[in-house]
Amino acid sequence: RELFSNIIVVTNDNAGYGDYDVRLVEDIIKDRGPLAGIYSGLEVSGGPHCFVVGCDMPLINIDLIRYMTEDTVDVDVVVPVIKDMVEPLHGVYSKKCLPFIKEELDKGNASIKSFFNSVKVRYISGAEVAGFDKGFSSFFSVNTAGDLEKARLMWMNHE
């Protein structure tokens, strides 16, 4: 909320979001995973770019996001690369990506990176990320109860 006035949550299960001041959107193209979620969010967004983050990544870093969204004039995608791994669920996507994403979804491709060769991508290096998030906690995913506890401890140590 500190950075963006319009927050969109793409979900096929609206339960549990009623108390939040967010726009809830269902996938326009069903059962195609996160790529379809990005497509749906971009499609309904009013702005030229969207910052996208996975629902299982609770330790986002405002300064890193601000940095990633600063210079998007000449690029369609901004994504970090951490230890040679592209982090597509922590990125900035332009509405210009929509036809390329749709083409991949129509072909049955669900990989987020499947359309990257068709657009201009700016890769943020691990060194750049470390300037804002030394421990790369922004990319920690919560998939188990143990991960959730670890995330809580990381958050408490961060504060």
Side-chain angles (χ1 to χ4, degrees):
R1 185 71 60 202
E2 182 178 326
L3 293 178
F4 309 110
S5 59
N6 185 21
I7 298 176
I8 299 167
V9 175
V10 180
T11 178
N12 289 321
D13 182 6
N14 293 344
Y17 294 103
D19 294 338
Y20 297 98
D21 182 22
V22 297
R23 181 174 179 190
L24 297 176
V25 173
E26 287 191 25
D27 281 330
I28 295 169
I29 300 172
K30 306 286 186 205
D31 302 320
R32 297 288 171 79
L35 183 61
I38 292 171
Y39 179 81
S40 300
L42 279 174
E43 186 67 41
V44 302
S45 171
H49 292 84
C50 289
F51 172 73
V52 173
V53 66
C55 64
D56 62 350
M57 301 169 85
L59 302 174
I60 59 176
N61 181 298
I62 296 293
D63 293 326
L64 175 59
I65 297 167
R66 188 177 287 120
Y67 176 73
M68 291 175 63
T69 58
E70 278 178 354
D71 187 18
T72 56
V73 174
D74 295 325
V75 296
D76 302 311
V77 175
V78 179
V79 289
V81 179
I82 309 299
K83 299 177 184 173
D84 297 325
M85 294 285 295
V86 175
E87 296 286 349
L89 283 177
H90 193 287
V92 179
Y93 293 85
S94 164
K95 278 187 153 298
K96 293 177 187 174
C97 296
L98 283 168
F100 303 105
I101 295 172
K102 177 78 163 68
E103 182 179 333
E104 293 302 320
L105 290 169
D106 287 347
K107 289 193 282 189
N109 291 335
S111 168
I112 295 172
K113 297 180 287 185
S114 64
F115 74 96
F116 281 15
N117 288 335
S118 302
V119 297
K120 188 170 181 185
V121 180
R122 177 176 171 226
Y123 293 98
I124 303 292
S125 72
E128 288 175 278
V129 171
F132 301 96
D133 182 1
K134 289 181 182 145
F136 303 109
S137 60
S138 296
F139 308 97
F140 182 75
S141 295
V142 174
N143 298 305
T144 67
D147 290 343
L148 181 58
E149 184 56 32
K150 185 174 180 181
R152 284 186 181 124
L153 292 171
M154 291 167 70
W155 178 253
M156 288 189 309
N157 291 332
H158 173 70
E159 295 182 328

